[in-house]
């Protein structure tokens, strides 16, 4: 059963739609024509030539009887015609002196075709077959790239695939990019430079070359880069790092060269390389050692960046990545990408502004407060928010509404976070009851713990892969977590299975993700944050990835077997003590658990304020903030940042 407390990994990260893909139709047509032509030739030859194949002895006897008028010999193949009716025949011979004498004595006209000079037909055929093979192989490789290559692409393998935007087609400026004020400030220099490179140089300022935009996908790196071009009204080349990576060695490098040749022609201009980590990874590492092709490409990029200076044209390279940590150091050296501009997840104010930008395209219910929507969407990227606006407009139009209301945003958000409601799934009565107790267990432990995040809502409506959910959000912008909070999270996670155990005296597989969630938190406490008897030591080079939002724990054993055992013991201690505390809480409050489960079975979804009301508990201060009278006011939450659900 059940997806858990906390927030999971946030909405799915949406990538930009791929560039237009030309179908491979042209190529297939060509192939079909070739094959068809070949078959036609064969067919034509075999049908229209009414040739009879005869045996050698029959041939000899025909010659002896003076029936044969002329023959053409090629090696030991003979093709001839009869005197009487011009009937054609073919055969194979043993070319001997005797045979020549025989032919001469019977006045047969003999012509010979040299062996090493096949007829033009054969040559043509060979050529056609070769080119067919060539195309087939090339096409196969292009397909293997997953890029859906078209015929047109094959003819410019070494050309860069960059998209070019002239100044008047770049219709984005800084006012289209909400928030990210620091990044905008950092980029002002670049804009000044692009506007007037000469003046910039005269004043002695250091000429910028490359800026690395670093941040999670969907937070507007591409948008920012384009806006810089828009602000400076200069041309903009856009390409993705993965476009350089090809199977053919040397292609990537020649694409880089081509790109910069073009860029210099249009300078001052911006070259934007998205996903630079695709080419810019640390050299000489990775599976199977180095990757010649990628290294060549990277070297070419580095030398292009070293090469251009003011005389060669003012080209600024903006690159984007969400993995600055894996980039080759050479890329970050002075004169290359020596400036790094962070493009973070938007905070409350920025979220409101981003929502305003995108909501200007839809019809909002008058008076709808987008700040409230912003409050309830911690951890959403700019792209997620754009998506949210679209989804809520969809939801409103499905319901034939005149305006988009706050309830539509609520629905859209839940859908993005937990997957769409699965109205078709019908839980058996027994499963439903068990789910209700399980979720009530999470929710009750949540509201009983002072240190926990604030309960948001609890539901037994199946969504995505989960049968129900109990959510909480932190109260305010949070950058650090206390031991108590982490313990509270573990207790809440265990609350579900404990409630099932307490009421039905049974366990179910539905608690699997709860258990893994709890274990991960405990492991982090021990191995990363020094929150155990083992003290403040990091065990294992577990890297919390800065942007992917999940642990990549590599257990390259930098500790001994013995330490491993101690770590396991500490983790087990934490889990056990949390388990016991949570169990005591639930046993002491079994009445409340019953009330909550019954409430859930009746209403399926309970908002936090309803939970507190049912339990006769005083609403925590925070919730009263959004406890307005507006019945459609469902989207209330504090300024929050996602907690890592792990
Ligand atoms: P990235 O390059 O970081 O992956 P994009 O620039 O492609 O992100 O962002 C995708 C879309 O999300 C943009 O086209 C824009 O509509 C929206 N978006 C992201 N960040 C912002 C922002 N700060 N202001 C307005 N829209 C944004
Ligand atoms: Zn659960």
């Amino acid at each position: 059963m059940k997806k858990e407390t906390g927030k999971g990994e946030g909405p799915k990260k949406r990538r930009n739609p791929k560039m237009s893909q030309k179908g491979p139709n042209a190529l297939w047509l060509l192939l079909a024509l070739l094959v068809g032509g070949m078959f036609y030739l064969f067919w034509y030859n075999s049908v229209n030539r009414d040739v009879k194949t005869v045996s050698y002895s029959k041939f000899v006897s025909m010659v002896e009887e003076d029936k044969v008028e002329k023959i053409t010999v090629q090696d030991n193949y003979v093709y001839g015609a009869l005197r009487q009716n011009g009937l054609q025949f073919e055969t194979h011979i043993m070319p001997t002196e005797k045979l020549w004498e025989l032919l001469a004595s019977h006045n047969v006209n003999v012509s010979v075709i040299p062996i090493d000079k096949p007829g033009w037909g054969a040559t043509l055929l060979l050529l056609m077959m070769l080119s067919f093979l060539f195309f087939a192989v090339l096409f196969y490789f292009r397909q293997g790239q997953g890029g859906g290559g078209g015929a047109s692409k094959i003819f410019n393998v070494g050309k860069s695939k960059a998209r070019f935007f002239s100044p008047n087609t770049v219709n984005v400026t800084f006012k289209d990019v909400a928030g990210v004020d620091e990044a905008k400030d950092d980029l002002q220099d670049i804009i000044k430079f692009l506007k007037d490179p000469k003046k910039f140089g005269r004043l002695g300022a250091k000429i910028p070359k490359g800026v690395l935009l670093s941040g999670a996908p969907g937070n507007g790196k591409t948008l920012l880069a384009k806006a810089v071009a828009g602000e400076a009204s200069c041309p903009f080349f856009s390409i993705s790092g993965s476009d350089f990576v090809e199977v053919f060695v040397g292609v990537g490098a020649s694409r880089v060269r081509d790109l910069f040749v073009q860029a210099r022609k249009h300078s001052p201009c911006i070259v934007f390389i998205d996903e630079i980590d695709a080419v810019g990874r640390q050299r000489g590492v990775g599976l199977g050692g180095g990757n010649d092709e990628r290294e060549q490409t990277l070297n070419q990029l580095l030398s292009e960046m070293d090469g251009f200076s003011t005389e060669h044209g003012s080209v600024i390279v903006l690159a984007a990545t969400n993995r600055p940590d894996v980039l080759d150091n050479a890329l970050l050296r002075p004169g290359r990408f020596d400036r790094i501009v962070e493009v973070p997840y938007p905070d409350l104010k920025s979220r409101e502004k981003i929502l305003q930008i995108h909501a200007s395209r839809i019809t909002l219910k008058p008076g709808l407060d987008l700040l409230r929507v912003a409050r309830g969407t911690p951890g959403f990227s700019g792209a997620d928010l754009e998506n949210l606006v679209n989804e809520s407009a969809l939801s409103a139009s499905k319901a034939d509404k005149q305006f988009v209301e706050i309830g539509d945003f609520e629905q859209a958000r839940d859908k993005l976070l937990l997957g769409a409601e699965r109205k078709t799934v019908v839980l058996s009565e027994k499963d439903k009851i068990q789910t209700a107790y399980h979720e009530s267990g999470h929710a009750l432990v949540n509201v009983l713990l002072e240190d926990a995040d604030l309960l948001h809502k609890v539901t037994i409506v199946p969504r995505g892969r989960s049968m129900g959910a109990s959510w909480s959000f932190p109260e305010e912008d949070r950058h650090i977590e206390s031991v108590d909070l982490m313990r509270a999270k573990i207790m809440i996670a265990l609350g579900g299975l404990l409630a099932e155990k307490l009421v039905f005296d049974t366990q179910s597989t539905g608690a699997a993700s709860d258990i893994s969630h709890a274990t991960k938190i405990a492991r982090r406490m021990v191995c990363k944050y020094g929150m155990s008897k083992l003290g403040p030591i990091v065990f294992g080079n577990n890297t919390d990835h800065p942007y992917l939002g999940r642990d990549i724990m590599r257990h390259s054993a930098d500790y001994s077997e013995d330490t491993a055992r101690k770590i396991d013991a500490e983790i087990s201690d934490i889990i056990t003590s949390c388990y016991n505390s949570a169990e005591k809480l639930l046993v002491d409050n079994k009445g409340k658990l019953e009330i909550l489960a019954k409430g859930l079975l009746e209403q399926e979804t309970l908002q936090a304020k309803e939970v507190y009301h049912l339990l006769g508990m005083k609403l925590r201060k925070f919730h009263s903030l959004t406890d307005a009278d507006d019945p459609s006011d469902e989207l209330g939450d504090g300024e929050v940042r996602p907690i890592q659900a792990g």
Side-chain angles (χ1 to χ4, degrees), residues 15-16 176-178 216-223 354 358 382-383 386:
R15 291 304 310 157
N16 301 333
D176 301 300
V177 191
N219 280 328
K221 298 186 291 297
T222 310
L223 195 66
I354 295 174
H358 294 293
E386 185 185 5

PDB file of all heavy atoms in Angstrom, residues 15-16 176-178 216-223 354 358 382-383 386, ligand 1:
ATOM      1  N   ARG A  15      11.436  17.619 -19.702  1.00  0.00           N
ATOM      2  CA  ARG A  15      12.453  18.141 -20.592  1.00  0.00           C
ATOM      3  C   ARG A  15      11.790  18.907 -21.708  1.00  0.00           C
ATOM      4  O   ARG A  15      10.623  18.739 -22.008  1.00  0.00           O
ATOM      5  CB  ARG A  15      13.300  17.012 -21.190  1.00  0.00           C
ATOM      6  CG  ARG A  15      14.177  16.327 -20.161  1.00  0.00           C
ATOM      7  CD  ARG A  15      15.113  17.263 -19.415  1.00  0.00           C
ATOM      8  NE  ARG A  15      15.867  18.128 -20.314  1.00  0.00           N
ATOM      9  CZ  ARG A  15      16.385  19.283 -19.922  1.00  0.00           C
ATOM     10  NH1 ARG A  15      16.214  19.703 -18.701  1.00  0.00           N
ATOM     11  NH2 ARG A  15      17.053  20.008 -20.769  1.00  0.00           N
ATOM     12  N   ASN A  16      12.597  19.754 -22.311  1.00  0.00           N
ATOM     13  CA  ASN A  16      12.058  20.467 -23.457  1.00  0.00           C
ATOM     14  C   ASN A  16      11.702  19.473 -24.537  1.00  0.00           C
ATOM     15  O   ASN A  16      12.383  18.503 -24.732  1.00  0.00           O
ATOM     16  CB  ASN A  16      13.106  21.406 -24.022  1.00  0.00           C
ATOM     17  CG  ASN A  16      13.557  22.397 -22.988  1.00  0.00           C
ATOM     18  OD1 ASN A  16      12.776  22.712 -22.083  1.00  0.00           O
ATOM     19  ND2 ASN A  16      14.790  22.842 -23.080  1.00  0.00           N
ATOM     20  N   ASP A 176      11.015  38.261 -19.140  1.00  0.00           N
ATOM     21  CA  ASP A 176      10.321  36.978 -19.276  1.00  0.00           C
ATOM     22  C   ASP A 176      10.869  35.927 -18.326  1.00  0.00           C
ATOM     23  O   ASP A 176      10.363  34.816 -18.256  1.00  0.00           O
ATOM     24  CB  ASP A 176      10.450  36.454 -20.706  1.00  0.00           C
ATOM     25  CG  ASP A 176       9.880  37.429 -21.716  1.00  0.00           C
ATOM     26  OD1 ASP A 176       8.680  37.719 -21.601  1.00  0.00           O
ATOM     27  OD2 ASP A 176      10.637  37.908 -22.589  1.00  0.00           O
ATOM     28  N   VAL A 177      11.941  36.278 -17.644  1.00  0.00           N
ATOM     29  CA  VAL A 177      12.536  35.334 -16.701  1.00  0.00           C
ATOM     30  C   VAL A 177      12.276  35.851 -15.294  1.00  0.00           C
ATOM     31  O   VAL A 177      12.801  36.888 -14.912  1.00  0.00           O
ATOM     32  CB  VAL A 177      14.059  35.207 -16.923  1.00  0.00           C
ATOM     33  CG1 VAL A 177      14.604  34.042 -16.117  1.00  0.00           C
ATOM     34  CG2 VAL A 177      14.384  35.044 -18.392  1.00  0.00           C
ATOM     35  N   ALA A 178      11.466  35.141 -14.558  1.00  0.00           N
ATOM     36  CA  ALA A 178      11.124  35.602 -13.211  1.00  0.00           C
ATOM     37  C   ALA A 178      12.165  35.130 -12.214  1.00  0.00           C
ATOM     38  O   ALA A 178      12.763  34.070 -12.381  1.00  0.00           O
ATOM     39  CB  ALA A 178       9.746  35.070 -12.828  1.00  0.00           C
ATOM     40  N   ALA A 216      19.426  22.654 -11.527  1.00  0.00           N
ATOM     41  CA  ALA A 216      18.579  21.524 -11.904  1.00  0.00           C
ATOM     42  C   ALA A 216      17.770  21.851 -13.155  1.00  0.00           C
ATOM     43  O   ALA A 216      17.529  23.022 -13.448  1.00  0.00           O
ATOM     44  CB  ALA A 216      17.655  21.170 -10.747  1.00  0.00           C
ATOM     45  N   PRO A 217      17.366  20.813 -13.881  1.00  0.00           N
ATOM     46  CA  PRO A 217      16.619  21.029 -15.115  1.00  0.00           C
ATOM     47  C   PRO A 217      15.335  21.810 -14.878  1.00  0.00           C
ATOM     48  O   PRO A 217      14.730  21.709 -13.818  1.00  0.00           O
ATOM     49  CB  PRO A 217      16.274  19.615 -15.590  1.00  0.00           C
ATOM     50  CG  PRO A 217      17.097  18.695 -14.792  1.00  0.00           C
ATOM     51  CD  PRO A 217      17.572  19.409 -13.581  1.00  0.00           C
ATOM     52  N   GLY A 218      14.960  22.600 -15.836  1.00  0.00           N
ATOM     53  CA  GLY A 218      13.664  23.271 -15.782  1.00  0.00           C
ATOM     54  C   GLY A 218      13.656  24.568 -15.015  1.00  0.00           C
ATOM     55  O   GLY A 218      12.614  25.172 -14.830  1.00  0.00           O
ATOM     56  N   ASN A 219      14.826  25.009 -14.540  1.00  0.00           N
ATOM     57  CA  ASN A 219      14.834  26.249 -13.773  1.00  0.00           C
ATOM     58  C   ASN A 219      15.205  27.464 -14.601  1.00  0.00           C
ATOM     59  O   ASN A 219      15.469  28.537 -14.073  1.00  0.00           O
ATOM     60  CB  ASN A 219      15.739  26.124 -12.550  1.00  0.00           C
ATOM     61  CG  ASN A 219      15.024  25.401 -11.435  1.00  0.00           C
ATOM     62  OD1 ASN A 219      13.805  25.519 -11.308  1.00  0.00           O
ATOM     63  ND2 ASN A 219      15.747  24.631 -10.655  1.00  0.00           N
ATOM     64  N   GLY A 220      15.259  27.282 -15.902  1.00  0.00           N
ATOM     65  CA  GLY A 220      15.377  28.451 -16.764  1.00  0.00           C
ATOM     66  C   GLY A 220      16.761  28.770 -17.272  1.00  0.00           C
ATOM     67  O   GLY A 220      17.028  29.916 -17.628  1.00  0.00           O
ATOM     68  N   LYS A 221      17.667  27.774 -17.331  1.00  0.00           N
ATOM     69  CA  LYS A 221      19.014  28.053 -17.833  1.00  0.00           C
ATOM     70  C   LYS A 221      18.956  28.445 -19.307  1.00  0.00           C
ATOM     71  O   LYS A 221      19.544  29.444 -19.711  1.00  0.00           O
ATOM     72  CB  LYS A 221      19.915  26.822 -17.625  1.00  0.00           C
ATOM     73  CG  LYS A 221      20.084  26.458 -16.158  1.00  0.00           C
ATOM     74  CD  LYS A 221      21.077  25.341 -15.958  1.00  0.00           C
ATOM     75  CE  LYS A 221      20.582  24.004 -16.483  1.00  0.00           C
ATOM     76  NZ  LYS A 221      19.374  23.505 -15.798  1.00  0.00           N
ATOM     77  N   THR A 222      18.226  27.651 -20.078  1.00  0.00           N
ATOM     78  CA  THR A 222      18.092  27.949 -21.500  1.00  0.00           C
ATOM     79  C   THR A 222      17.415  29.297 -21.701  1.00  0.00           C
ATOM     80  O   THR A 222      17.837  30.113 -22.523  1.00  0.00           O
ATOM     81  CB  THR A 222      17.266  26.850 -22.186  1.00  0.00           C
ATOM     82  OG1 THR A 222      17.801  25.587 -21.816  1.00  0.00           O
ATOM     83  CG2 THR A 222      17.287  27.002 -23.688  1.00  0.00           C
ATOM     84  N   LEU A 223      16.379  29.491 -20.910  1.00  0.00           N
ATOM     85  CA  LEU A 223      15.621  30.742 -20.996  1.00  0.00           C
ATOM     86  C   LEU A 223      16.520  31.940 -20.715  1.00  0.00           C
ATOM     87  O   LEU A 223      16.488  32.946 -21.425  1.00  0.00           O
ATOM     88  CB  LEU A 223      14.483  30.676 -19.978  1.00  0.00           C
ATOM     89  CG  LEU A 223      13.359  31.684 -20.114  1.00  0.00           C
ATOM     90  CD1 LEU A 223      12.605  31.432 -21.407  1.00  0.00           C
ATOM     91  CD2 LEU A 223      12.405  31.583 -18.932  1.00  0.00           C
ATOM     92  N   ILE A 354       6.855  33.585 -11.459  1.00  0.00           N
ATOM     93  CA  ILE A 354       6.831  32.642 -12.591  1.00  0.00           C
ATOM     94  C   ILE A 354       5.385  32.269 -12.909  1.00  0.00           C
ATOM     95  O   ILE A 354       4.969  32.236 -14.074  1.00  0.00           O
ATOM     96  CB  ILE A 354       7.650  31.376 -12.265  1.00  0.00           C
ATOM     97  CG1 ILE A 354       9.123  31.731 -12.102  1.00  0.00           C
ATOM     98  CG2 ILE A 354       7.479  30.330 -13.362  1.00  0.00           C
ATOM     99  CD1 ILE A 354      10.000  30.585 -11.640  1.00  0.00           C
ATOM    100  N   HIS A 358       3.262  32.837 -16.524  1.00  0.00           N
ATOM    101  CA  HIS A 358       2.592  31.792 -17.308  1.00  0.00           C
ATOM    102  C   HIS A 358       1.076  31.869 -17.223  1.00  0.00           C
ATOM    103  O   HIS A 358       0.371  31.485 -18.161  1.00  0.00           O
ATOM    104  CB  HIS A 358       3.116  30.419 -16.907  1.00  0.00           C
ATOM    105  CG  HIS A 358       4.560  30.226 -17.259  1.00  0.00           C
ATOM    106  ND1 HIS A 358       5.007  30.157 -18.546  1.00  0.00           N
ATOM    107  CD2 HIS A 358       5.672  30.153 -16.477  1.00  0.00           C
ATOM    108  CE1 HIS A 358       6.320  30.028 -18.554  1.00  0.00           C
ATOM    109  NE2 HIS A 358       6.750  30.030 -17.308  1.00  0.00           N
ATOM    110  N   GLY A 382      10.781  26.016 -12.432  1.00  0.00           N
ATOM    111  CA  GLY A 382      10.035  26.900 -13.318  1.00  0.00           C
ATOM    112  C   GLY A 382       9.218  26.113 -14.329  1.00  0.00           C
ATOM    113  O   GLY A 382       8.056  26.427 -14.597  1.00  0.00           O
ATOM    114  N   ALA A 383       9.839  25.064 -14.882  1.00  0.00           N
ATOM    115  CA  ALA A 383       9.132  24.251 -15.867  1.00  0.00           C
ATOM    116  C   ALA A 383       7.949  23.532 -15.222  1.00  0.00           C
ATOM    117  O   ALA A 383       6.885  23.406 -15.826  1.00  0.00           O
ATOM    118  CB  ALA A 383      10.093  23.248 -16.492  1.00  0.00           C
ATOM    119  N   GLU A 386       5.156  26.004 -14.918  1.00  0.00           N
ATOM    120  CA  GLU A 386       4.527  26.213 -16.215  1.00  0.00           C
ATOM    121  C   GLU A 386       3.559  25.058 -16.503  1.00  0.00           C
ATOM    122  O   GLU A 386       2.420  25.253 -16.932  1.00  0.00           O
ATOM    123  CB  GLU A 386       5.613  26.276 -17.290  1.00  0.00           C
ATOM    124  CG  GLU A 386       5.074  26.611 -18.657  1.00  0.00           C
ATOM    125  CD  GLU A 386       6.140  26.544 -19.737  1.00  0.00           C
ATOM    126  OE1 GLU A 386       7.291  26.140 -19.444  1.00  0.00           O
ATOM    127  OE2 GLU A 386       5.811  26.884 -20.877  1.00  0.00           O
TER     128      GLU A 386
HETATM  129  P1  LIG B   1      16.649  24.482 -18.176  1.00  0.00           P
HETATM  130  O1  LIG B   1      17.379  24.956 -19.386  1.00  0.00           O
HETATM  131  O2  LIG B   1      17.232  24.976 -16.898  1.00  0.00           O
HETATM  132  O3  LIG B   1      16.413  23.013 -18.135  1.00  0.00           O
HETATM  133  P2  LIG B   1      14.488  25.879 -19.382  1.00  0.00           P
HETATM  134  O4  LIG B   1      15.068  27.224 -19.586  1.00  0.00           O
HETATM  135  O5  LIG B   1      14.445  24.984 -20.560  1.00  0.00           O
HETATM  136  O6  LIG B   1      15.215  25.139 -18.199  1.00  0.00           O
HETATM  137  O7  LIG B   1      13.035  26.050 -18.766  1.00  0.00           O
HETATM  138  C1  LIG B   1      11.937  25.400 -19.297  1.00  0.00           C
HETATM  139  C2  LIG B   1      10.723  26.281 -19.255  1.00  0.00           C
HETATM  140  O8  LIG B   1      10.315  26.534 -17.913  1.00  0.00           O
HETATM  141  C3  LIG B   1      10.974  27.622 -19.859  1.00  0.00           C
HETATM  142  O9  LIG B   1      10.742  27.601 -21.232  1.00  0.00           O
HETATM  143  C4  LIG B   1       9.962  28.502 -19.139  1.00  0.00           C
HETATM  144  O10 LIG B   1       8.707  28.448 -19.762  1.00  0.00           O
HETATM  145  C5  LIG B   1       9.841  27.852 -17.778  1.00  0.00           C
HETATM  146  N1  LIG B   1      10.669  28.567 -16.803  1.00  0.00           N
HETATM  147  C6  LIG B   1      11.723  28.065 -16.137  1.00  0.00           C
HETATM  148  N2  LIG B   1      12.252  28.976 -15.300  1.00  0.00           N
HETATM  149  C7  LIG B   1      11.538  30.099 -15.462  1.00  0.00           C
HETATM  150  C8  LIG B   1      11.604  31.415 -14.895  1.00  0.00           C
HETATM  151  N3  LIG B   1      12.526  31.745 -13.977  1.00  0.00           N
HETATM  152  N4  LIG B   1      10.690  32.328 -15.298  1.00  0.00           N
HETATM  153  C9  LIG B   1       9.771  31.996 -16.221  1.00  0.00           C
HETATM  154  N5  LIG B   1       9.656  30.801 -16.791  1.00  0.00           N
HETATM  155  C10 LIG B   1      10.519  29.837 -16.433  1.00  0.00           C
END
